[in-house]
Amino acid sequence: MEPKNKKNIVIFASGSGSNAQRLLEHFEHHPEIRVAALFSNNPKAYALQRAETYHVPAFLFSRDEFYNSDKVVEQVQQFKPDLVVLAGFLWLVPQNFLQAFPDSIINIHPALLPKYGGKGMHGLNVHTAVVQAGDDKSGITIHRVNEEYDKGEFILQEHCPVYTTDTPEELAARVLQLEHKFLPLVVEKLILKKEQL
């Protein structure tokens, strides 16, 4: 029997869900934390299958349900989340959702904010912009979520080099390694209120 007093994570993902996968793996046998549910706005998101593999309930929702009703808020509330993690989720979070889970929603962004943030800055778009700008470093930003894209308080930034020979795909792979390494650690730290990673 699983202990009933585990802390709960709810994941939101729009795509393949490799960060969701890392969270599912990391917390599968965790003594204090579990992934309680995964939500997606994309019926083709591979993240939904990843959740199924780990026997985690998965939910699909429409734009109308997210923005024009409380349906998604109410569904998430059933899982009593200690943290909502946006892991490759591309929609702006509406006010009713922010109010329902104050200071409990985080996002991971594949660049060093405040550079390369905002609407449309996701996936290869970000890495293409970094490479074209000739920056010598990139990385990840894990931040709290507010009513604007990528504007919430920073929790963690980690860097990696950008080489002059990099393609956007090569940079993306390097940044993804940082995402996979640090996202589970930050989630764990926030939920258990640890001071250090």
Side-chain angles (χ1 to χ4, degrees):
M1 274 295 284
E2 260 202 9
K4 283 199 164 62
N5 58 353
K6 280 195 176 187
K7 305 280 192 182
N8 291 320
I9 304 164
V10 170
I11 300 172
F12 275 65
S14 295
S16 81
S18 73
N19 275 313
Q21 173 82 26
R22 280 292 298 121
L23 292 171
L24 289 161
E25 286 169 7
H26 187 85
F27 294 108
E28 186 181 16
H29 301 296
H30 196 284
E32 298 175 83
I33 301 168
R34 68 183 180 135
V35 176
L38 182 142
F39 285 74
S40 183
N41 58 325
N42 177 6
K44 296 183 177 148
Y46 188 59
L48 292 164
Q49 286 169 284
R50 294 182 192 270
E52 203 173 288
T53 303
Y54 283 84
H55 309 292
V56 166
F59 299 85
L60 189 61
F61 59 88
S62 67
R63 180 173 284 277
D64 188 56
E65 287 168 339
F66 196 48
Y67 288 110
N68 300 321
S69 79
D70 288 326
K71 181 180 177 183
V72 180
V73 167
E74 288 164 4
Q75 283 182 316
V76 173
Q77 280 173 330
Q78 290 175 4
F79 294 98
K80 298 183 169 53
D82 295 275
L83 201 64
V84 176
V85 182
L86 310 186
F89 180 69
L90 303 183
W91 288 358
L92 192 65
V93 176
Q95 199 63 41
N96 64 331
F97 199 93
L98 292 169
Q99 286 168 349
F101 309 103
D103 291 327
S104 300
I105 311 168
I106 67 167
N107 180 50
I108 184 160
H109 185 76
L112 297 172
L113 293 173
K115 292 173 94 175
Y116 311 111
K119 189 170 173 57
M121 273 295 171
H122 55 81
L124 272 183
N125 296 356
V126 175
H127 307 301
T128 301
V130 173
V131 168
Q132 286 177 346
D135 290 5
D136 62 357
K137 66 180 179 183
S138 188
I140 60 167
T141 305
I142 298 174
H143 64 92
R144 296 193 187 278
V145 172
N146 64 13
E147 60 281 349
E148 292 185 83
Y149 278 113
D150 305 323
K151 291 285 178 70
E153 173 202 353
F154 294 176
I155 297 165
L156 177 84
Q157 287 194 310
E158 290 290 335
H159 306 84
C160 66
V162 181
Y163 301 116
T164 53
T165 55
D166 270 343
T167 63
E169 291 79 6
E170 287 167 336
L171 177 57
R174 201 173 304 123
V175 170
L176 194 62
Q177 288 180 331
L178 291 177
E179 294 182 48
H180 288 175
K181 177 179 178 182
F182 287 102
L183 183 59
L185 299 177
V186 168
V187 167
E188 191 168 359
K189 175 189 171 184
L190 288 172
I191 289 180
L192 300 179
K193 300 188 168 44
K194 290 179 178 173
E195 293 305 311
Q196 297 297 323
L197 282 182

